[in-house]
Amino acid sequence: MQFIVTAEEMKEYDNNTITHIGVPGMVLMERAALQLKEVICKHVHNPQTMLIVTGVGNNGGDGLALARLFSREDCDVTVCRLGNLNKETESFRAQRKILEHYSVEILEEEKALETLKEFAKVKAGFDVVVDAVFGVGLSRPLSGSFAEAVAAMNAIRGYKVAADIPSGICANTGKVLGCAFRADLTVTFGFAKRGLYLYPGTD
C-alpha cells in the first residue's frame, strides 16, 4: 500500500522529523539530493551536462546539493537561480554557502532568466534538465519571470527531471497553476503527493 499525502501533511511530517525526532533539516536535504542523483543515474547513464534551475526555498536547496554532487563527478553543471535572496530559507542559504567552495557558478535572477530564454531560443540541449524551483508549498499560479522560466525550461532539450513535484502543479489537486514544468521523471521525497496522481498533474 502506498501512502499519498497533501502538502500540509507532508510539511507536518517534515516538521515532526526535524523538531521532535531531531533529524536536522540539512540531513533531510542531503538525503533527498543523494536519492535524486541515484534515480537520475538509473535513467541517464553518466550525464555529462546538466541544467539545474532552483528557487530560493528548500526545493531549491535540494537542487544546489544535487549540483554539488554531480560537479564532483566531472559533470558540467549549470545552475540558474530564480527568486529574491531576501526570501531564501535557512537550508537554501547553507547549501548556497557550501556550493561557493565548488567550481559551480550560480546565475542569478535576471541573468538566470535571460540565460534560460536564450537556451530555449537556440534550442540548447543538456543531458538532464532539473526543476528545483517550487516544491509542495506552491499555492498560486505562476506568473511573471517564474512563468517565463518554466516555459523556457520546457523548450530546452534534455531529459527533464522534477525534484519532489513539477513546478506549477498543485500538490493537493493536481491542478496546473498557470503553467507547469513538463517532467519526464519526478522524484518525490518522503511520501507521494496527491497532486502527482490527479489529472492533469499526473500528465
Side-chain angles (χ1 to χ4, degrees):
M1 182 176 72
Q2 188 170 16
F3 194 36
I4 301 175
V5 302
T6 65
E8 293 74 22
E9 288 170 335
M10 191 66 240
K11 289 177 184 178
E12 188 174 336
Y13 295 140
D14 278 342
N15 184 63
N16 181 68
T17 301
I18 295 167
T19 304
H20 297 291
I21 297 177
V23 180
M26 282 290 285
V27 172
L28 297 179
M29 190 168 282
E30 287 294 320
R31 288 177 58 85
L34 285 165
Q35 288 300 304
L36 183 55
K37 177 179 180 291
E38 181 178 320
V39 177
I40 287 173
C41 289
K42 287 180 180 178
H43 289 79
V44 181
H45 178 67
N46 193 27
Q48 297 297 299
T49 59
M50 182 172 296
L51 171 65
I52 302 177
V53 186
T54 81
V56 294
N58 290 344
N59 193 251
D62 295 337
L64 296 186
L66 183 71
R68 168 168 43 85
L69 294 174
F70 271 108
S71 71
R72 294 178 61 187
E73 298 192 1
D74 296 323
C75 180
D76 184 6
V77 181
T78 300
V79 178
C80 289
R81 192 264 297 163
L82 307 172
N84 192 326
L85 277 183
N86 291 331
K87 298 180 180 180
E88 68 180 346
T89 63
E90 183 179 335
S91 293
F92 179 88
R93 182 185 302 111
Q95 292 291 354
R96 179 170 60 82
K97 293 295 185 181
I98 293 171
L99 197 58
E100 289 176 357
H101 297 280
Y102 293 80
S103 57
V104 179
E105 180 185 8
I106 301 177
L107 304 177
E108 302 182 339
E109 295 189 83
E110 290 87 357
K111 186 175 181 182
L113 179 58
E114 290 174 5
T115 300
L116 290 173
K117 291 165 78 171
E118 183 61 25
F119 284 158
K121 181 179 178 181
V122 301
K123 294 181 170 44
F126 294 83
D127 291 339
V128 182
V129 177
V130 178
D131 163 31
V133 182
F134 289 107
V136 298
L138 185 67
S139 59
R140 63 180 183 275
L142 294 182
S143 60
S145 60
F146 290 111
E148 292 181 70
V150 168
M153 291 159 64
N154 286 335
I156 295 169
R157 293 183 295 110
Y159 188 74
K160 295 182 171 65
V161 179
D164 205 20
I165 190 167
S167 293
I169 296 298
C170 176
N172 292 341
T173 67
K175 180 180 178 181
V176 174
L177 299 171
C179 63
F181 181 71
R182 296 193 64 87
D184 297 307
L185 169 73
T186 296
V187 183
T188 200
F189 308 128
F191 297 106
K193 315 313 184 287
R194 185 184 294 174
L196 295 174
Y197 294 92
L198 298 175
Y199 184 82
T202 188
D203 186 48

